[in-house]
Amino acid sequence: NSIIEPNYEAAKQKAITFIMNVNDLSGITISDEDIVILLSNLLNNAIEACEKTKEKMLKMKFVIEDNQIILSVKNSIADVPVKVDGEYISSKKDSEESHGIGLKNVAEVIEKYNGRYVIDFDEKMFSISMIIPL
């Protein structure tokens, strides 16, 4: 809640439609610190991307189903992501050395818990979906 609620409020203030599907996460096996890394990076990136679009849409699913954690974030984008040497690079123009590490941090957390993830996008939407076993 301490990550989702402020991001929901930020999205609302920026006229971004934020649709959430969250169920009982009391059985979650990910540390609080790692949940913060996942949610803060993914939601911050999604809100920043939505700000640049006409149709501002953000969808998040964070549930436990079939003995696994499912987290997905899908958001509207203005520009197709660019991949260099197998890694997505940030489109942010300020302080470039500090950008582009968010998705790396997310990937490290997913791998730490033996999870898998997939990134997909088209010219209008970006999505990242992950499955982490309990």
Side-chain angles (χ1 to χ4, degrees), residues 3-127:
I3 300 297
I4 295 172
E5 184 66 27
N7 279 285
Y8 176 79
E9 290 301 322
K12 192 164 75 171
Q13 289 175 358
K14 296 172 183 188
I16 299 169
T17 301
F18 190 160
I19 299 169
M20 284 185 275
N21 177 5
V22 180
N23 70 3
D24 179 5
L25 298 170
S26 60
I28 203 160
T29 55
I30 301 174
S31 74
D32 291 346
E33 295 82 9
D34 288 336
I35 291 171
V36 169
I37 290 170
L38 291 174
L39 291 177
S40 62
N41 280 298
L42 295 175
L43 293 176
N44 289 340
N45 286 351
I47 289 170
E48 287 177 21
C50 285
E51 287 181 284
K52 301 174 186 173
T53 65
K54 290 180 185 173
E55 186 178 324
K56 300 174 184 323
M57 174 68 68
L58 178 111
K59 296 179 183 181
M60 181 190 77
K61 180 178 183 179
F62 193 18
V63 297
I64 294 178
E65 290 178 357
D66 301 324
N67 214 28
Q68 54 193 3
I69 300 160
I70 299 169
L71 173 58
S72 68
V73 175
K74 184 174 185 176
N75 57 274
S76 52
I77 55 174
D79 301 307
V80 175
V82 176
K83 202 173 190 179
V84 174
D85 296 327
E87 295 183 6
Y88 291 96
I89 60 169
S90 177
S91 61
K92 299 172 189 168
K93 302 300 179 212
D94 61 332
S95 185
E96 291 187 22
E97 68 276 357
S98 66
H99 294 299
I101 60 170
L103 281 179
K104 289 180 195 173
N105 291 340
V106 166
E108 287 175 8
V109 169
I110 296 166
E111 291 164 9
K112 175 179 174 180
Y113 294 93
N114 299 312
R116 295 172 286 140
Y117 70 98
V118 64
I119 294 175
D120 192 25
F121 57 87
D122 59 26
E123 62 278 347
K124 293 183 180 181
M125 298 295 286
F126 175 90
S127 70

